[in-house]
Amino acid sequence: MNVTLQVWRQKGPGSPGAFKTYQVDAISAEMSFLEMLDVLNERLVNQGEDPVAFDHDCREGICGSCGVMINGRAHGPQPGTATCQLHMRRFPDGSTIVVEPWRAAGFPLVKDLVVDRSAFDRIIEAGGYISVDTGSAPDANLIPVPKTVADTAFDAAACIGCGACVAACPNGAASLFTAAKIGHLNLLPQGHAERWSRTERMVGVMEHYFGSCTNHGECEKACPKEISIDFIAMMNADFLRAKLANRRLAAQYR
Amino acid sequence: MTGLEAKIPEGPLENKWESHKFSVRLVNPANKRKLRVIIVGTGLAGASAAASLGELGYQVDVFTFHDTPRRAHSIAAQGGINAAKNYHNDGDSVRRLFYDTIKGGDYRSREANVYRLAEVSLNIIDQATAQGVPFAREYGGLLDNRSFGGAQVARTFYARGQTGQQLLLGAYQALMRQVKTRTVRLHTRVEMLDLVVKDGRAIGIVTRDLVKGEIARHSAHAVVLATGGYANVFFLSTNAKASNTTAIWRAHRRGAALANPCFTQIHPTCIPASDEFQSKLTLMSESLRNDGRIWVPKNPGDDRPPEQIPEIDRDYYLERRYPAFGNLVARDIASRAAKRVVDAGLGVGPLKNGVYLDFADATTRLGRRTIEERYDNLFEMYNRITDEDPYLVPMRIYPAPHYTMGGLWVDYNLMTTIPGLYAIGEANFSDHGANRLGASALMQGLADGYFVLPYTIGDYLAGLLNEPPVPTDDPAFGPVEDEVGDRVRGYLATGGSRTVDWFHRELGKIMLDHCGMSRSAQGLEKALSDIPALYEEFKTDLRVLGTGEELNQALERAGRVDDFFELAMLMCVDAREREESCGGHFREEYQTEDGEALRDDVGFAHVSAWEWTGDAARPEVQNEDLVFENVALTTRSYK
C-alpha cells in the first residue's frame, strides 16, 4: 500500500518547526506504524536526509516510550492501542496521515516527534510509592487484600506512563496519569499509611507542571490501557479529604 | 589472565549464604555517606539495587539511556516470578526450587549461587507485596500461584500478563523515593559508552548525553552494570529495540571476563515474522502452552485452512515425541522441535514460518469463558498484531531469541574479574546455566538487586574508607574519553552508503543461521568468516547523518551495532569450542540417535570465561570447573 505522511519536523526546542510531506510507497499492510516509520527513515538516509526522531523501545505496547498524534488523535485511530501496536491495515490505501508530537506545555519538545516527559517522574517522586525499605517487609500473606480491591488497584496500575492522556486533554492536564498511581496505591491496604500525604503531594506537583482537569474525558478515550476516569473522581475525593486530614492530627483521623 | 576465584563460601549448601553474610565486612552509616556507587541500567536489577543502596545511605548515581527509569525492558516480562513459598502445600521448598533451576539449566550453573537465589526468592515476594505490587489474589484475599513452564509445583506469582511491568514499577517507585531524598542522583537519556579502570580497579565511566551529545566523566568507588542481555545480536528478538551489549562489551574490552556467551535462549512461543521489514518479534506468554496444543499438518504443502485439516492429517509432534510432558516440555526442546518441522517444509502461515498453537480442544473442554479468563489479554494482543482471532483459528507461533544466560563472569559476590566492577541481573552469567526456566529472570534480577549486592558490595567498599573517589581529572579518564569521542566522530565521518539497520539485519541473519537454535562446527566457521567481512564493510560503508551534538538515534545505534559485531564473533568462538549439546546450546554433531541433546559432563562441566586479547576472533579462555556436591548429574528427559 501507499501512504502520504505529513510529519512535524523540528531540530530542537529553540528552532522553528514545520510539517514536511513524505510519500511512502510500497509498504505492507502487515507492518506496524513504527515499522512504516523505520522504512521512511531508511529511505531518508539513503537520500541523504536526516531521519525522523521518534521515541520507541519495546514495541509491545508496555514500555510507554512511543506515542505520537496520528491524524489529531493520541496513538491513532484504534482504541486501547499504543502507537507501536497500531498496524498499517488500519489505514485505507492511499491515505494521508498527519503525524505530530504530543502537544502539551508539560511536555517540552526535544526533537521532531520526541518530547520530554520527565515531569511524570517528578509526580511519582512526590509520593507515588509505598515507603518500605528493602528487607523490612512482613510475609506477603500477612496482609489479605480482597480480590476485587486487588483487581481494581491493578486496573489503575496498568498505566504505562506514555503521556497520551496529557496530549489528548484540551487543558494539557495530567489527571489520569496521577489518579492512576494514586488509585493503585490508595486502594491497597499497604498504601493506607501514606494515603493523605501522598495524595496532597502528588496533586501539588501535578498542578505545578500541568493544566487543570475539567472533565472532558478525552484522556480515557486516548489511554492505550483504557484506564477509567473513575480514578480521577477517586483522586479528587481523596484530595478533598486529604486537605482536612493533613491539617488535623493525622493520628486521630479515622 | 588472573585466575578465576569464585569465592564460594565453605560449609554446607544451606549455610553458605548465611555464614557469608556474617563474614562480609560492614560499613558504618557515617562512612556510607562518603562512598559513591555508579549503577548503569534501571531494569529490575539496577532499579532495585539503586533503591536499596540509597536506602542504606550510599551516594548512588544511576544512569539510563531511556527518558525515565520505568522504560527498562524488564517491563515487558509477562508470565510471572518464581518463589519457593509453598503457599499451596504442594511440596515446594527452597531445595526443590534450587534443584529445578540447576536441572533446568542443564547442570551448567553454580550450586551455591542457585541455592542462594532460591533462598532469597521468599524475600522478593514479601518486598514486592509490601511495595504494592498487585499480584493476582484468590477470593480469600491471599496470593494466587500458577504452575509455569512445566514445573510440577505451583510457585509462580503473577500480575495478569504484566508481572514484569508491575515488579519494575515497584522497583522504579522505590528508586524515585530515593531520588527525592537525594541519596540517588538520576541521569536520564545518558548512555554509558566506556569503563574507566585505574590500577586494576573500576573507578568510573564515560557517558554520552543523548540529547546534547556531551561526553562526560563520572567517578565512584564501585561501578555496577545492570544493563541486561544481548539477544539483539540476532536483530530479530523479543528484546526492546534499544537493548544492547555495549556496557558489558566495553567492560569486557577493559578486562572483565565474559562467560558462556553462546548460552542463549530461544523462546518457543513468539509470533512469526510477517515480512522483511519486521523490526522485532513479540513473545506470547509461555502459559499458553498449558492449554494450547501444538501441531503442524502431516503433509508438506497441505494448504487447507487449519479447521479443515482432519485429526488424521495433523501431527501433534510434541505430544507424540514427549508423551510425559507433551506441550509443556522445556523451552529449548520445544523450540528445536518447531525448527525441525518448519525446516522439513511443514510450516504454516503465509510465509510457512510457524506452527499452530490450537485452543479448540481446550475451549470445548473448559468452555470459552474459562479460556477468556485465562488468556484474554494475550489473545487480544495476538489479534491486534496479526488481525486473526485465536478463538476461531489456531495461533501461529515460532521460536525467537529471548534471553541470554551468558554474560559477564562474576564471583559469588557478583564482582567481575575487575575489582570494583559488579554485574547484576541478565548482564551476568551466574544462575541459569545453559537454559533459564520460565519466571526465573525476574527472580534473579530482583534477588541480585535487593538482597545480594547490597550485602556483598559493602565488603569491597569497606576497604576504601577514607579514600575519596578518584577525581575525574585523573589521567586515567583522559584516554578513555578521547577514545569514546573518536568512536562517535568516526561513525559520522565514515560517509558510506548503508544504514546502521541494514548492517544489523545482515549480522542478525548470520547469527540466526549459524549460532541460533542449532549450531555446527561448519556453520560456526562460516559465521566466523562472514562476520569479519561484514564488519569490514560496516567500518567503511556505514552512513550516519546529522551531528554528534544533538539527539541522533542512528548514531546511538551505530555504536551498539559496532559492539554487537565483536560480541557475535566471541559467541561463535564459544559455541565452536563447546563440543557438546546442553540447554539452549545445541551442536548438531552431539546428539543422540533420536535427535536429543548429548551433554558431555566429563569434558564440559565448566564455565568458559573469555578474555579480550585485542583480536575479536582470537580471545583467550579460562575455565571454571563446576563442582556438584548436592545434585547428581542426570540427563533431562521429558519423554
Side-chain angles (χ1 to χ4, degrees), chain A residues 176-188:
Chain A
L176 190 60
F177 170 80
T178 313
K181 188 44 68 190
I182 288 179
H184 160 214
L185 298 174
N186 284 7
L187 277 165
L188 293 171

Side-chain angles (χ1 to χ4, degrees), chain B residues 261-320:
Chain B
C262 80
F263 285 170
T264 54
Q265 179 165 77
I266 315 285
H267 196 290
T269 51
C270 303
I271 302 176
S274 66
D275 57 50
E276 60 175 311
F277 299 106
Q278 188 89 26
S279 60
K280 75 155 274 164
L281 296 169
T282 302
L283 179 146
M284 301 299 293
S285 169
E286 188 161 39
S287 61
L288 292 167
R289 287 199 281 147
N290 287 339
D291 288 308
R293 294 182 73 195
I294 293 172
W295 64 275
V296 289
K298 267 188 188 155
N299 308 308
D302 189 339
D303 284 336
R304 287 176 289 180
E307 66 277 8
Q308 286 176 24
I309 301 180
E311 285 291 318
I312 189 151
D313 289 333
R314 299 177 178 194
D315 181 10
Y316 295 91
Y317 57 89
L318 287 178
E319 296 171 24
R320 172 172 57 78

Side-chain angles (χ1 to χ4, degrees), chain B residues 408-419:
Chain B
L408 288 179
W409 184 91
V410 289
D411 63 16
Y412 189 72
N413 293 318
L414 305 181
M415 202 198 297
T416 66
T417 50
I418 301 177

Side-chain angles (χ1 to χ4, degrees), chain A:
Chain A
M1 61 188 283
N2 308 322
V3 291
T4 308
L5 295 184
Q6 289 177 5
V7 183
W8 185 260
R9 302 299 312 259
Q10 189 172 344
K11 268 275 194 198
S15 342
F19 281 106
K20 226 171 154 193
T21 305
Y22 302 103
Q23 186 65 31
V24 190
D25 289 340
I27 52 164
S28 150
E30 298 304 307
M31 271 179 197
S32 72
F33 191 83
L34 297 186
E35 282 165 357
M36 183 274 296
L37 288 183
D38 290 342
V39 169
L40 168 68
N41 276 346
E42 290 246 1
R43 292 179 187 172
L44 287 179
V45 173
N46 287 333
Q47 293 160 20
E49 194 177 334
D50 262 354
V52 180
F54 62 95
D55 262 331
H56 65 98
D57 198 22
C58 79
R59 301 206 175 189
E60 301 183 10
I62 194 75
C63 76
S65 299
C66 71
V68 289
M69 303 299 285
I70 300 170
N71 291 335
R73 295 177 67 171
H75 289 308
Q78 195 178 0
T81 304
T83 304
C84 62
Q85 297 269 280
L86 179 67
H87 284 69
M88 294 311 292
R89 64 176 90 91
R90 301 284 157 195
F91 299 90
D93 192 7
S95 43
T96 297
I97 307 172
V98 181
V99 190
E100 299 162 87
W102 288 161
R103 289 173 304 182
F107 292 156
L109 188 125
V110 176
K111 184 181 179 182
D112 293 339
L113 304 174
V114 178
V115 297
D116 176 358
R117 288 168 287 189
S118 54
F120 274 7
D121 283 343
R122 305 289 82 75
I123 294 175
I124 296 298
E125 75 184 28
Y129 46 76
I130 291 170
S131 299
V132 48
D133 283 358
T134 303
S136 55
D139 185 88
N141 263 351
L142 274 180
I143 320 160
V145 182
K147 188 174 184 329
T148 44
V149 172
D151 286 348
T152 310
F154 195 109
D155 291 342
C159 170
I160 58 174
C162 64
C165 48
V166 176
C169 177
N171 305 333
S175 288
L176 190 60
F177 170 80
T178 313
K181 188 44 68 190
I182 288 179
H184 160 214
L185 298 174
N186 284 7
L187 277 165
L188 293 171
Q190 301 95 302
H192 273 206
E194 295 166 292
R195 181 172 177 180
W196 311 120
S197 57
R198 167 186 306 120
T199 306
E200 202 176 351
R201 291 206 311 257
M202 287 179 72
V203 170
V205 173
M206 172 188 86
E207 289 185 332
H208 176 75
Y209 288 98
F210 296 98
S212 299
C213 173
T214 46
N215 294 319
H216 284 267
E218 293 291 331
C219 52
E220 181 185 65
K221 244 197 249 169
C223 177
K225 297 295 151 186
E226 303 181 308
I227 294 173
S228 163
I229 51 170
D230 288 358
F231 290 109
I232 298 182
M234 288 167 66
M235 173 175 76
N236 291 339
D238 268 10
F239 185 67
L240 188 64
R241 294 173 71 185
K243 284 288 174 193
L244 298 169
N246 287 341
R247 273 152 191 72
R248 293 182 195 165
L249 283 175
Q252 288 175 13
Y253 188 73
R254 279 176 289 116

